[in-house]
Amino acid sequence: MRIARGVQALLTRSGLTQTEVAKRAGVSPGTVNRYMSWQDTKGLRVPTVRAIADGCGATESERDALADLVTSQEDGWWMDHPAVPAILDPLLSFESFASYEQVWANVLVPGLLQSPGYALALHQDGNPDASAEDVADTVAARMQRQEVLDRSPALHLSVILDEAVLRRRVGDAQVMAEQIDHLVSMAERPNVNIQILPESSGAHAAGSGGHFVLLGREDRDPLASMAVVYLELHRKGIYLDAPDDVDDYRTMFDGLSANAADSATSMDLLASARQEYLQ
């Protein structure tokens, strides 16, 4: 998506048609269209995107920025990983590039904050026909994804959890108690902020909407900036990057954050929920 937006911007600025750019780049018009429409992301190549950028009259820094985006996608550990669904390839690519991520979670603990036991129970329940080996591989991939929080500079993660998530049992009571302990531990990190939206808060900014993720990165160079929303559906995901859509979800997240408990009170709510699992 970032590559497509970049190529579109360069083409618009150039005033050329796709056919004219294709001729300059030595590729087919269909290839230019593929890079502009975010199709076949696994088939993108650095020499091709460089040629298209040159055909559009891009500066050296603009061309290099697009090439870096393609390289990061090609080198991602998640690409063609058997335990990572193809629908998550873009999300993990965005996470690797983003400087911040904001998550509203109203059903389950989001993947970046799941404990191994919680992730295991979740995948066992959600995929009863899967072999133990496949489930273990999926959990291992989930833990590897979390390494984005350990990188330098670290991804800054802000999560708002509906209090109901803490009481929706995944696995047994011990699994839930360990998951809550994990949330408390993660909240101690300087790059992780967790808020709980109390059940008593009533109607809220997200209305009847479900889980969403807003990822972003701000940079002086438009090609190095990013703002995208990921909506998680059953076995598929929707990605939105139109400015109006992103602004709507950013406003929604800000509203949820304003209604949620502050950090200290959220830790008290976590402790209370944990105590219920120990009774």
Side-chain angles (χ1 to χ4, degrees):
M1 185 180 290
R2 289 175 286 138
I3 297 167
R5 288 291 188 189
V7 174
Q8 289 169 6
L10 291 175
L11 183 70
T12 299
R13 189 183 68 192
S14 73
L16 300 171
T17 66
Q18 291 186 33
T19 300
E20 290 170 331
V21 169
K23 185 175 182 179
R24 290 185 174 196
V27 299
S28 70
T31 296
V32 175
N33 183 66
R34 182 163 58 84
Y35 278 72
M36 290 180 61
S37 58
W38 203 46
Q39 300 174 17
D40 187 23
T41 56
K42 294 182 180 179
L44 304 184
R45 298 291 179 264
V46 170
T48 304
V49 79
R50 282 184 174 276
I52 293 173
D54 284 337
C56 291
T59 65
E60 182 178 354
S61 63
E62 290 171 337
R63 183 189 62 203
D64 290 345
L66 283 175
D68 287 345
L69 290 177
V70 174
T71 299
S72 67
Q73 182 167 279
E74 289 178 335
D75 293 343
W77 65 266
W78 56 88
M79 299 300 292
D80 296 320
H81 194 297
V84 177
I87 63 166
L88 290 183
D89 285 347
L91 176 62
L92 271 61
S93 177
F94 292 142
E95 282 183 343
S96 72
F97 187 76
S99 61
Y100 67 86
E101 180 170 332
Q102 299 173 327
V103 184
W104 159 241
N106 64 337
V107 178
L108 298 168
V109 174
L112 289 179
L113 293 178
Q114 289 176 7
S115 67
Y118 185 97
L120 177 62
L122 183 62
H123 288 294
Q124 286 176 329
D125 291 343
N127 302 279
D129 297 329
S131 67
E133 181 179 0
D134 286 344
V135 171
D137 288 344
T138 301
V139 172
R142 175 64 51 83
M143 297 302 107
Q144 186 170 357
R145 175 189 167 194
Q146 294 178 0
E147 293 177 2
V148 71
L149 296 173
D150 299 321
R151 75 182 190 202
S152 180
L155 176 73
H156 190 278
L157 177 66
S158 297
V159 174
I160 302 173
L161 282 175
D162 192 308
E163 189 176 7
V165 172
L166 305 178
R167 294 180 169 82
R168 179 169 291 108
R169 185 172 296 204
V170 174
D172 58 22
Q174 185 62 36
V175 167
M176 291 301 298
E178 291 175 353
Q179 174 60 69
I180 293 173
D181 286 341
H182 184 64
L183 290 172
V184 172
S185 175
M186 294 299 291
E188 294 175 352
R189 295 189 177 203
N191 61 312
V192 177
N193 183 60
I194 299 174
Q195 289 180 270
I196 307 299
L197 184 69
E199 294 175 331
S200 60
S201 63
H204 50 71
S208 59
H211 178 109
F212 69 81
V213 179
L214 195 161
L215 304 105
R217 175 173 175 166
E218 298 178 0
D219 195 281
R220 295 179 184 177
D221 183 351
L223 290 181
S225 297
M226 178 190 74
V228 62
V229 174
Y230 169 66
L231 305 179
E232 188 171 285
L233 306 177
H234 181 61
R235 299 192 182 282
K236 66 166 52 177
I238 296 176
Y239 296 88
L240 307 173
D241 71 338
D244 287 348
D245 289 331
V246 173
D247 287 344
D248 284 346
Y249 278 91
R250 183 171 284 118
T251 298
M252 192 184 307
F253 187 86
D254 290 343
L256 288 165
S257 180
N259 289 334
D262 60 27
S263 297
T265 305
S266 292
M267 294 305 101
D268 291 340
L269 290 169
L270 286 172
S272 178
R274 186 186 191 281
Q275 187 61 36
E276 292 178 16
Y277 288 111
L278 298 179
Q279 294 177 357

